[in-house]
Amino acid sequence: FNCLLPMEANKDEAQHALTMAGVAMEAKNYEKAAKFAKTAGRLDPSLAGSKQMALTANIMFLSTAKPVNAYMVLGLSNTADADSIKQSFRKLSLLLHPDKNTSPCAPQAFVTVNNARDTLADPHKRMLLDLDLRREAAGWKPQGSAYAASSCSTPCYRCGGPLGQHCSCWWPNV
């Protein structure tokens, strides 16, 4: 009668859950990948890579939102100062660096964290992000294809391009 001890069964289940997290991540199902990775970590806390996989999946899930909320990526409030941005970036970059993290999407997650830090460190980019997030919270939508054909010659206040033709950052009803 061959039976696994409870701890060995947990290790096998945890390894299976971590494998499923990798499969889900490669399929770009980041929410499912995060669930599997967290389950793997809960079943076997000593399993290498489960925390990194869960973090990578969460960052990738956050990167699918438009606009990408740099505050959420770095785990900060919108009143974060330069020191907390720097501290959060360092912590995440150590965990997500592709040389230390073997998750399938670690390089993309690392780039997302770098972009979030760059956005919050630059006062102009941060102001634009705050504006976009407030507009999103108010229910405003970015331009649709109906605006792409307009021939407005007013320059965009963000990128300088003509509104409605080449400017992808224009929001109607501003």
Side-chain angles (χ1 to χ4, degrees), residues 97-108:
H97 195 279
D99 290 344
K100 300 194 184 244
N101 189 335
T102 59
S103 300
C105 294
Q108 295 97 323

Side-chain angles (χ1 to χ4, degrees), residues 54-75:
L55 178 62
T56 304
N58 283 333
I59 297 292
M60 293 306 297
F61 178 73
L62 291 171
S63 74
T64 61
K66 299 296 177 215
V68 175
N69 189 336
Y71 297 107
M72 289 182 77
V73 169
L74 294 178

Side-chain angles (χ1 to χ4, degrees), residues 5-127:
L5 296 173
M7 201 60 180
E8 291 175 23
N10 279 354
K11 287 185 180 201
D12 290 342
E13 288 292 322
Q15 187 60 48
H16 177 70
L18 193 60
T19 303
M20 293 303 294
V23 169
M25 195 172 298
E26 288 175 354
K28 297 187 185 324
N29 190 344
Y30 304 120
E31 192 171 9
K32 191 174 188 178
K35 283 183 182 179
F36 276 122
K38 287 176 186 175
T39 300
R42 202 171 46 251
L43 289 171
D44 184 7
S46 66
L47 183 63
S50 62
K51 288 181 183 177
Q52 290 176 325
M53 178 87 69
L55 178 62
T56 304
N58 283 333
I59 297 292
M60 293 306 297
F61 178 73
L62 291 171
S63 74
T64 61
K66 299 296 177 215
V68 175
N69 189 336
Y71 297 107
M72 289 182 77
V73 169
L74 294 178
L76 300 169
S77 72
N78 61 351
T79 59
D81 62 347
D83 289 336
S84 58
I85 292 168
K86 188 176 184 179
Q87 182 180 9
S88 180
F89 169 73
R90 281 187 178 167
K91 179 182 171 187
L92 289 173
S93 64
L94 286 174
L95 293 170
L96 292 170
H97 195 279
D99 290 344
K100 300 194 184 244
N101 189 335
T102 59
S103 300
C105 294
Q108 295 97 323
F110 185 71
V111 168
T112 300
V113 168
N114 277 322
N115 290 342
R117 189 263 329 250
D118 291 344
T119 298
L120 295 181
D122 181 352
H124 181 68
K125 289 180 184 178
R126 187 172 181 171
M127 180 197 64

